[in-house]
Amino acid sequence: MSKLIIRAKQFAERAHAGQVRKLNDEPFMNHPTNVASTLKGAGFDETVVAAGYLHDVVEDTAVTITEISEQFGEKVTSLVEANTENMKLPWRERKEQTIMNARKGSMEVKALIAADKKDNLSNILKYEKQMGERVWSAFSKGKHDQCWYYSSVLEAIFQNVASKEIPPFFLEYKKLVDQLQQLIMKK
């Protein structure tokens, strides 16, 4: 593991210390670790993997984008920024911004967003099997809005990408979105 990746992982561990996931009591840090692992496994460079560890620190902790820039440089910062929602905006506007970033972003931006959403949706679907409809109460918007969002991100990440450039985990994410859509249609 490169020094940059190790520093990013340690920084994220400190920033997310004590935080847990919405649907269970598992450490929040499991999520950025999964995202970074997905990106590393797909062959992305150290800056993208580092951004995988850091992608939620500005949104979910007291860390600022300026601190990320000072610690990790311009490329990591631009990736983190593309995946950070402005929490002052209403839910729909925040999600539309992420969709636009996924649509217009570089392959690295698309990959970070896709790896993040893949892990989140995988977690939701796993707990939906255990909790049923109650799983949706953990979120500010219900299953239909969530389905719109994850489906829209899926469409956006594939835009302007040649089929030979598609990382395999994009297709894994597509399968999860298909499962979510089927779940919505059943109920």
Side-chain angles (χ1 to χ4, degrees), residues 64-78:
T64 65
I65 201 69
T66 302
E67 290 174 84
I68 297 297
S69 179
E70 290 168 354
Q71 295 282 323
F72 298 100
E74 188 180 319
K75 185 169 181 194
V76 172
T77 302
S78 69

Side-chain angles (χ1 to χ4, degrees), residues 40-51:
K40 185 173 185 190
F44 284 92
D45 74 24
E46 67 177 0
T47 58
V48 181
V49 176

Side-chain angles (χ1 to χ4, degrees), residues 30-144:
N30 290 359
H31 170 62
T33 299
N34 291 342
V35 171
S37 294
T38 295
L39 295 165
K40 185 173 185 190
F44 284 92
D45 74 24
E46 67 177 0
T47 58
V48 181
V49 176
Y53 280 113
L54 299 167
H55 78 276
D56 274 335
V57 296
V58 174
E59 194 173 301
D60 294 336
T61 76
V63 173
T64 65
I65 201 69
T66 302
E67 290 174 84
I68 297 297
S69 179
E70 290 168 354
Q71 295 282 323
F72 298 100
E74 188 180 319
K75 185 169 181 194
V76 172
T77 302
S78 69
L79 292 169
V80 170
E81 206 165 21
N83 198 59
T84 299
E85 293 184 356
N86 178 348
M87 299 308 282
K88 294 175 185 169
L89 295 175
W91 185 88
R92 182 90 179 198
E93 286 180 44
R94 295 192 321 257
K95 302 308 179 188
E96 287 173 347
Q97 183 63 52
T98 300
I99 293 162
M100 185 171 45
N101 291 347
R103 182 174 293 120
K104 295 182 175 183
S106 65
M107 176 53 84
E108 290 84 2
V109 167
K110 290 174 181 287
L112 178 57
I113 291 171
D116 175 28
K117 302 314 170 214
K118 178 177 108 43
D119 189 62
N120 283 341
L121 186 51
S122 175
N123 204 43
I124 291 169
L125 291 170
K126 175 175 125 181
Y127 284 96
E128 197 281 336
K129 286 179 183 165
Q130 295 174 13
M131 299 168 64
E133 289 291 311
R134 289 181 305 132
V135 75
W136 303 108
S137 64
F139 302 96
S140 62
K141 296 292 180 183
K143 64 184 175 184
H144 293 283

